[in-house]
Amino acid sequence: MLYFLICAGYMETDGTMFRIHTKAEGFMDADIPLELVFHLPVNYPSCLPRISVNSEQLTRAQCVTVKEKLLEQAESLLSEPMVHELVLWIQQNLRHILNQLETGSGNAKCTFSTSTTVDDGLWITLLHLDHMRAKTKYVKTVEKWASDLRLTGRLMFMGKMILILLQGDRSNLKEYLTLQKTSKVDVDSSGKKCKEKMISVLFETKVQTEHKRFLAFEVKEYSALDELQKEFETAGLKKLFSEFVLALVK
């Protein structure tokens, strides 16, 4: 998606200011116009820019949240030029941010894309399950859902850790999550069928250049953390493993 630099100004004591007009995908795939203003201090990029966000189609609260997410992303790019990367990032992730606000899931464990995409139709998501009491039935159900929705990836067990890595069309990933949360897929402590209430979305993004394309959905068990790490590294997901999976074992 293109964006346009509307104005750039420079003052020796204050640094540089860029005013950028762009569009990003919002609800119902509609494009939302954004005005992004970046104030770059003299010692940029060694310190963060000041950012302001405006849009005729967003509320003040939504603009504030978008600004906060941009600043969070900017922290990961500190010491390197970041304006272009931040514009690309918000184009890719605005819908996720707005969806979080809409569903009240701002505290959910999830993150967004951090690099440019290669396939608009292919997405990847990582889920964490707290437990499986009826493991055999649960696994067969997950396999069936993945097959029906043409999703590939891994159902991974290591000790008590249970992860589901899914790759496929975004609408099918959403449908999978709906099934996961609304179906009586497990049993409670008394043996009665129950819905999954202990699931977390750790990560969701469009597939990136470095990500492996999974050809099938497989169930795998790992005896050690380094085996699980190797699975993620082979899939081009080393950073994902370090940021989210390791946090589960600390």
Side-chain angles (χ1 to χ4, degrees):
M1 183 178 293
L2 297 175
Y3 62 91
F4 302 92
L5 176 65
I6 301 301
C7 177
Y10 178 79
M11 292 182 63
E12 186 176 355
T13 56
D14 295 332
T16 308
M17 183 272 287
F18 291 100
R19 186 184 307 274
I20 295 172
H21 283 200
T22 186
K23 292 182 179 180
E25 188 177 275
F27 297 123
M28 305 300 291
D29 297 332
D31 285 340
I32 293 179
L34 296 173
E35 181 187 81
L36 308 173
V37 180
F38 297 88
H39 297 270
L40 312 182
V42 176
N43 53 349
Y44 166 87
S46 297
C47 65
L48 294 177
R50 299 199 311 274
I51 301 173
S52 63
V53 177
N54 291 287
S55 174
E56 294 178 355
Q57 296 184 23
L58 298 180
T59 66
R60 182 176 180 83
Q62 288 172 326
C63 287
V64 169
T65 299
V66 171
K67 170 188 171 181
E68 291 172 349
K69 295 296 184 182
L70 279 168
L71 286 171
E72 290 176 8
Q73 182 64 17
E75 289 180 354
S76 68
L77 300 170
L78 201 59
S79 79
E80 60 185 80
M82 64 183 74
V83 172
H84 177 68
E85 291 296 324
L86 291 174
V87 173
L88 292 179
W89 184 86
I90 199 60
Q91 288 175 347
Q92 295 171 9
N93 294 293
L94 179 64
R95 179 162 62 177
H96 302 305
I97 297 171
L98 298 180
N99 283 341
Q100 279 193 320
L101 287 172
E102 188 75 7
T103 59
S105 59
N107 294 324
K109 291 182 181 178
C110 71
T111 189
F112 307 98
S113 168
T114 57
S115 58
T116 53
T117 61
V118 296
D119 188 335
D120 288 342
L122 201 60
W123 282 68
I124 189 167
T125 188
L126 179 64
L127 311 176
H128 174 241
L129 296 178
D130 185 73
H131 61 268
M132 284 185 184
R133 288 194 172 95
K135 182 177 178 179
T136 301
K137 176 180 178 293
Y138 205 133
V139 169
K140 288 182 178 179
T141 301
V142 170
E143 288 180 310
K144 183 179 185 303
W145 287 342
S147 176
D148 291 346
L149 295 170
R150 293 177 295 174
L151 301 175
T152 60
R154 300 285 186 269
L155 170 54
M156 300 174 281
F157 296 91
M158 194 210 72
K160 294 183 179 180
M161 185 188 300
I162 307 170
L163 299 171
I164 304 176
L165 185 64
L166 295 170
Q167 194 177 80
D169 184 84
R170 187 164 185 257
S171 62
N172 290 346
L173 289 172
K174 283 187 171 183
E175 187 172 347
Y176 177 91
L177 279 173
T178 299
L179 288 170
Q180 182 84 60
K181 294 178 180 179
T182 60
S183 303
K184 291 185 177 180
V185 68
D186 205 2
V187 296
D188 60 21
S189 56
S190 63
K192 293 181 180 180
K193 292 182 179 180
C194 65
K195 297 177 182 178
E196 180 58 71
K197 297 180 180 179
M198 302 291 287
I199 184 171
S200 302
V201 180
L202 300 181
F203 180 90
E204 181 186 28
T205 186
K206 290 181 180 179
V207 167
Q208 311 299 320
T209 306
E210 67 272 18
H211 295 162
K212 170 187 174 182
R213 307 301 194 276
F214 292 103
L215 301 179
F217 184 82
E218 300 178 19
V219 180
K220 302 186 74 171
E221 300 211 17
Y222 308 85
S223 59
L225 187 62
D226 59 347
E227 291 181 11
L228 183 62
Q229 182 176 356
K230 185 176 179 180
E231 181 78 60
F232 276 81
E233 291 178 351
T234 301
L237 298 168
K238 182 177 180 180
K239 184 178 179 181
L240 170 59
F241 180 86
S242 299
E243 291 185 5
F244 298 98
V245 179
L246 285 180
L248 299 174
V249 296
K250 290 180 179 179

